[in-house]
Amino acid sequence: MSASRTRRGAVLAMTVLAVSITGACAVGDGSAGGTAATPVADRAGAPLTSGFPASVTAACQSDASPTIAEIRKRGELRWGIGVSPPFGFKQTDGSWGGVEADNAQELAAILGVRPAVQDYDYSLMTVALQTKKADIVGAQLFITPERAKAVDFSTPYYLSGQLFYVLADSAFQSVDDMNKAGVRFVYGTGGGQASLAEKYIPKAKVSDAPLRGQLLLYEFLASGQADASMVEAAPMAVLLKQYRSPALAAIGLKGRVTGERAQPDEVIDPFKVAFGLAKNDPGWQGCVNAWVADATASGRMDKRIDYWLAQNIAG
């Protein structure tokens, strides 16, 4: 992947309010399923419904994998998604929109089935794969060594990064300010921020709590239960506009982010994003990898991501 993809993924100009997104979604327990919205064929990055290269269709035949055979027999691709706009969010009509909803449509078309999108809290996504409630997780899921012990990953299709968040009127101005005994850092259960906290603020006290469909554990900051948290850099504008009482500030590698978006050299540890799959089905992994290779080499995935990054999702 190109460095430009990292830069694009780390910066997001969105005017959407997070409450209008998360308020329509299940509270992170996998209880609200649905379908992906019907794609608009003539817009940038729209999911294909036909015309896939032979390398993809050959890799995704039923005899290549027991998972593929089961999906085709069922007539349904079970796609695990997370609330992570613009990658996954509920639209006003109740359908799922965003990058991953498009991806679900496209892979389902390759397999000749319909997509069934189900939301899960990030702490439950591995379990959903292991129990076969989900055939694949597409939820802006970044690769970590810990996750790789429990699930297989596809070829990466995106690069992104993180920012710390603190209350705007706090004394914290830099990452070093947070790397002190007594500083309380909280992250979403099942997320990869624990390892980043260990790397950047090892002296701080680290704990976790369920996100329950939220983008950020804001209530912990607002109530004084924590001093800092962390989330992916892309929705920075969403968070700063939504949470104003008390207001938030974002902190990156160069201190507080003062612009409307984080610059590439401010984003913390750009990471690889991939699709999660149950362990030990190389045929299914090969199918997904063949699709990812085509979607990225053709530029279709980049266009899809750029399209959704540019949207005012709240309408």
Side-chain angles (χ1 to χ4, degrees):
M1 292 231 176
S2 66
S4 63
R5 169 54 51 211
T6 303
R7 291 194 292 271
R8 292 193 200 103
V11 295
L12 171 63
M14 294 169 58
T15 57
V16 53
L17 297 180
V19 68
S20 65
I21 297 169
T22 58
C25 299
V27 186
D29 62 356
S31 61
T35 59
T38 302
V40 179
D42 60 351
R43 58 109 166 135
L48 296 182
T49 57
S50 62
F52 299 101
S55 58
V56 176
T57 55
C60 295
Q61 295 300 308
S62 295
D63 58 5
S65 150
T67 300
I68 296 174
E70 174 59 29
I71 291 169
R72 288 182 178 272
K73 180 180 179 181
R74 186 195 308 141
E76 178 181 274
L77 172 65
R78 294 173 179 170
W79 186 284
I81 203 168
V83 179
S84 181
F87 281 76
F89 62 95
K90 273 288 184 73
Q91 302 186 108
T92 55
D93 65 357
S95 65
W96 284 95
V99 175
E100 301 300 5
D102 280 0
N103 287 336
Q105 286 276 5
E106 189 163 284
L107 184 57
I110 291 169
L111 296 168
V113 299
R114 74 177 189 91
V117 181
Q118 182 81 28
D119 67 314
Y120 292 96
D121 189 272
Y122 278 79
S123 62
L124 300 176
M125 288 181 180
T126 295
V127 176
L129 289 170
Q130 292 172 333
T131 58
K132 298 186 178 181
K133 291 184 177 179
D135 302 310
I136 181 171
V137 166
Q140 202 182 8
L141 195 67
F142 55 93
I143 300 171
T144 68
E146 192 63 28
R147 280 180 178 159
K149 294 177 183 177
V151 303
D152 285 335
F153 285 101
S154 71
T155 303
Y157 63 98
Y158 179 65
L159 296 176
S160 194
Q162 302 271 313
L163 292 173
F164 285 98
Y165 288 87
V166 298
L167 294 183
D169 62 1
S170 73
F172 302 109
Q173 299 292 323
S174 68
V175 174
D176 287 342
D177 289 341
M178 292 179 285
N179 187 28
K180 297 176 182 177
V183 172
R184 298 159 301 168
F185 173 82
V186 64
Y187 70 97
T189 303
Q193 290 88 354
S195 61
L196 292 179
E198 183 178 352
K199 177 178 178 179
Y200 287 96
I201 52 171
K203 296 179 182 178
K205 180 181 178 180
V206 178
S207 62
D208 68 313
L211 281 170
R212 300 189 181 282
Q214 304 170 84
L215 295 175
L216 177 74
L217 292 168
Y218 173 74
E219 69 274 14
F220 283 79
L221 303 177
S223 65
Q225 297 178 72
D227 302 303
S229 191
M230 178 181 273
V231 75
E232 206 271 323
M236 185 188 80
V238 172
L239 297 172
L240 297 187
K241 289 187 178 189
Q242 170 60 27
Y243 297 123
R244 296 185 177 184
S245 183
L248 290 174
I251 294 178
L253 294 177
K254 303 179 85 173
R256 288 201 179 193
V257 179
T258 57
E260 292 185 358
R261 60 186 70 183
Q263 297 302 306
D265 59 355
E266 295 178 297
V267 177
I268 296 166
D269 276 26
F271 51 78
K272 295 178 180 179
V273 174
F275 299 108
L277 308 167
K279 281 282 189 184
N280 301 321
D281 190 342
W284 178 221
Q285 187 178 35
C287 166
V288 175
N289 283 345
W291 164 56
V292 170
D294 173 60
T296 53
S298 67
R300 193 165 68 252
M301 187 69 77
D302 280 359
K303 291 177 182 177
R304 183 169 301 157
I305 293 169
D306 286 344
Y307 171 81
W308 286 108
L309 286 173
Q311 300 308 300
N312 177 353
I313 292 171

